[in-house]
Amino acid sequence: MENLTQEINHAKNIATKAVKIALVCCVITILFATLSLWILLNQITATANLSKNQKTLEQKILMLEKQQQ
């Protein structure tokens, strides 16, 4: 009977450790996913700003060309 109780307690300890490891892995995965989304949003914002700057510069070039003619 004691042997059975010890085995059950051992199994519970192993299961508890497995759940803790799984939770830690989930937290790490969520952190990496959040970091990845943040980087993606920064890239989108940077690209949008570059496009805006390019259009502004093109308009300035067109205005200068009209002034020279």
Side-chain angles (χ1 to χ4, degrees):
M1 191 67 152
E2 285 182 28
N3 193 18
L4 181 61
T5 306
Q6 287 177 352
E7 287 182 23
I8 291 173
N9 286 336
H10 184 66
K12 283 183 182 179
N13 288 338
I14 291 174
T16 304
K17 288 179 184 179
V19 169
K20 287 180 183 178
I21 290 171
L23 288 175
V24 168
C25 289
C26 288
V27 169
I28 290 172
T29 302
I30 290 170
L31 287 174
F32 280 129
T34 305
L35 180 64
S36 177
L37 286 174
W38 181 69
I39 290 171
L40 179 66
L41 288 174
N42 279 340
Q43 288 177 342
I44 291 170
T45 304
T47 303
N49 285 337
L50 286 175
S51 296
K52 182 180 175 183
N53 288 342
Q54 182 181 4
K55 287 180 183 179
T56 304
L57 289 174
E58 286 176 356
Q59 289 175 353
K60 287 181 181 180
I61 290 172
L62 289 174
M63 288 174 57
L64 288 172
E65 286 177 350
K66 286 181 182 178
Q67 286 178 358
Q68 287 181 354
Q69 291 177 355

